[in-house]
């Protein structure tokens, strides 16, 4: 399925001396840096009306960019997979994504994704980049996602994300006792050798900011409310691991086995042992509707597995207090 792309934009003045491919990857975040580099090398990119085929070309700021390219996407299959739809109108769909549900097809996940489900539920969405998906949740992260149904809605939602005008709040359970809320501000990029991991890297990482506050303390765990200024891959998971409080169940960024307080009973241990994903849920989404411009907000409750985990942590804490 070939998609013709005509992308335009203006380079921010703050990008002085930055590489062309880096600047364009930030200007057009729906496309990978490797794809953008290939477009540059193929002569598909014009800067101020002139073809520029050098990815390392330095920017001055203020340049007008045009990209004329064709994207050959794989033939993606529609599949009759149930979606938990929280809101729908003529322009957007808001879904509550379940655990173990991959958002976009990739290596090892060609089928059974949110994208496959969207193609079946609303076939015209095939005409949009990535079937209208403007942001993702990890496979094992649950909660709210917004999807565009029209090209104008898609463009404006992407612009809202870039402008940090969409608010996403999460709940999580972290390992360890956190004494106060705070902010983690560490740049994130793809790990050099582990391609399924992200890493923090100051020179080349993209800015990433996570705020968190305490909802509830347990004996050796903490329930958190978090919100993002940016939306990098694995951002919350990586930032919490960076401050030595990885999320319960996180297999990528936690080296801890289930963290057990003293005098743990077998029932509590079994709950921790069975929790087999990162304890992270996108609980609130707030945005200005891309067409009507009305402010809208949605909330969804935590999934059952996180409810059971938190109830077990509460019961363990209360039992310890009253011993």
């Amino acid at each position: 399925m070939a998609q013709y792309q005509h992308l335009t934009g203006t380079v921010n003045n703050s990008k002085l001396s930055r590489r062309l491919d880096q600047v364009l990857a930030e200007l057009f975040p729906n496309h990978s840096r490797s794809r953008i580099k290939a477009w540059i090398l193929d002569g598909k990119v014009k800067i101020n009306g002139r073809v520029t085929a050098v990815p390392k070309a330095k920017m001055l700021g203020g340049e007008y960019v045009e990209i004329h390219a064709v994207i050959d996407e794989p033939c993606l299959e529609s599949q009759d997979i149930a979606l938990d739809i929280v809101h729908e109108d003529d322009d957007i769909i808001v879904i509550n994504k379940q655990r173990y549900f991959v958002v976009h097809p990739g290596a090892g996940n060609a089928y059974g994704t949110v994208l496959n489900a969207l193609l079946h539920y609303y076939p015209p969405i095939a005409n949009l980049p990535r079937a209208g998906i403007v942001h993702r949740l990890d496979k094992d992260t649950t909660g709210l996602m917004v999807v565009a149904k029209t090209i104008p809605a898609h463009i404006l939602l992407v612009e809202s994300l870039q402008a940090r005008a969409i608010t996403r709040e999460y709940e999580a359970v972290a390992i360890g006792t956190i004494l106060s809320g705070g902010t983690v501000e560490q740049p994130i990029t793809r790990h050099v050798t582990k391609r399924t991991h992200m890493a923090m890297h100051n020179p080349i990482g993209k800015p990433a900011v996570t705020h968190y506050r305490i909802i509830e303390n347990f004996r050796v765990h903490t329930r958190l409310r978090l919100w993002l200024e940016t939306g990098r891959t694995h951002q919350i998971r990586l930032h919490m691991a960076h401050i030595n409080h990885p999320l319960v169940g996180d297999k990528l960024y936690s080296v801890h086995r289930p963290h057990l307080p003293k005098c743990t009973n077998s029932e509590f241990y079994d709950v921790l042992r069975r929790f087999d994903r990162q304890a992270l849920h996108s609980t609130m989404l707030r945005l200005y509707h891309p067409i009507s411009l009305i402010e809208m907000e949605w909330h969804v409750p935590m999934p059952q597995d996180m409810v059971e985990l938190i109830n077990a942590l509460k019961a363990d804490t209360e039992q310890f207090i009253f011993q």
Side-chain angles (χ1 to χ4, degrees):
M1 178 170 64
Q3 293 185 356
Y4 293 87
Q5 293 282 312
H6 178 210
L7 306 174
T8 61
T10 302
V11 176
N12 192 292
N13 288 329
S14 67
K15 305 303 182 183
L16 176 65
S17 297
R18 295 282 304 280
R19 286 172 51 130
L20 173 61
D21 55 351
Q22 293 177 338
V23 170
L24 296 190
E26 294 174 7
L27 190 60
F28 306 111
N30 276 351
H31 303 287
S32 68
R33 186 168 162 184
S34 60
R35 170 176 280 171
I36 285 172
K37 183 177 180 180
W39 286 342
I40 297 169
L41 293 172
D42 289 344
K44 306 297 185 182
V45 176
K46 289 183 178 180
I47 305 296
N48 293 332
R50 299 182 63 181
V51 172
T52 302
V54 182
K56 294 182 180 180
K58 300 298 183 183
M59 296 290 95
L60 298 175
E63 293 92 341
Y64 179 70
V65 179
E66 292 180 90
I67 300 177
H68 297 270
V70 176
I71 302 175
D72 292 317
E73 297 283 5
C75 256
L76 298 174
E77 181 180 325
S78 70
Q79 292 181 282
D80 187 4
I81 303 169
L83 291 168
D84 184 358
I85 296 175
V86 177
H87 168 86
E88 183 178 9
D89 57 42
D90 290 341
D91 304 289
I92 63 173
I93 303 171
V94 178
I95 67 171
N96 179 19
K97 189 184 84 67
Q98 306 305 304
R99 62 179 184 169
Y100 314 138
F101 200 3
V102 175
V103 171
H104 196 279
N109 293 292
Y111 305 102
T113 71
V114 172
L115 186 147
N116 298 119
L118 287 167
L119 290 172
H120 180 272
Y121 177 77
Y122 185 66
I125 213 166
N127 297 317
L128 276 68
R130 298 185 180 182
I133 295 169
V134 297
H135 69 110
R136 303 186 189 189
L137 295 175
D138 295 340
K139 173 184 176 182
D140 295 335
T141 298
T142 54
L144 290 164
M145 286 179 54
V146 62
V147 177
K149 292 175 68 178
T150 65
I151 289 290
H154 185 272
I155 291 170
L156 291 167
L157 284 174
V158 170
E159 289 178 354
S160 293
L161 280 169
Q162 292 173 341
R164 304 183 182 183
I166 296 179
T167 301
R168 289 163 288 169
E169 291 191 358
Y170 295 76
E171 284 199 23
V173 179
I175 295 172
T177 302
I178 302 175
L179 299 178
S180 64
T183 296
V184 183
E185 186 170 358
Q186 291 288 334
I188 293 175
T189 187
R190 184 71 60 181
H191 195 284
V192 175
T193 58
K194 301 176 182 177
R195 302 310 294 169
T196 59
H197 291 54
M198 304 302 288
M200 285 175 295
H201 199 301
N202 279 303
I204 63 172
K206 295 181 179 179
V209 181
T210 303
H211 305 284
Y212 62 92
R213 66 175 176 85
I214 297 168
I215 297 176
E216 195 171 6
N217 282 118
F218 306 111
R219 284 212 279 160
V220 291
H221 297 83
T222 305
R223 180 180 173 188
L224 298 169
R225 175 65 62 100
L226 309 101
W227 61 102
L228 306 176
E229 286 192 25
T230 53
R232 310 303 177 202
T233 302
H234 299 175
Q235 178 174 322
I236 289 175
R237 299 165 62 188
L238 189 58
H239 276 177
M240 294 312 298
H242 173 69
I243 62 171
N244 297 317
H245 292 290
L247 302 187
V248 170
D250 194 335
K251 299 177 180 67
L252 284 186
Y253 301 109
S254 175
V255 296
H256 299 273
R257 293 182 179 180
H259 204 54
L260 302 175
K262 295 179 180 178
C263 307
T264 298
N265 62 44
S266 60
E267 183 178 346
F268 177 50
Y269 173 76
D270 285 342
V271 171
L272 280 179
R273 182 178 54 81
R274 289 197 308 269
F275 198 88
D276 59 353
R277 67 177 183 96
Q278 63 268 9
L280 182 62
H281 175 66
S282 175
T283 189
M284 189 277 278
L285 176 68
R286 182 169 61 244
L287 53 80
Y288 288 95
H289 190 280
I291 306 303
S292 72
L293 303 182
I294 295 171
E295 187 177 44
M296 307 182 79
E297 181 172 318
W298 300 272
H299 296 257
V300 289
M302 281 189 298
Q304 188 60 33
D305 63 343
M306 281 188 67
V307 171
E308 291 174 359
L309 173 65
I310 289 169
N311 287 341
L313 290 166
K314 287 181 178 179
D316 171 75
T317 301
E318 292 170 359
Q319 180 182 3
F320 179 77
I321 290 172
F322 293 111
Q323 279 181 347

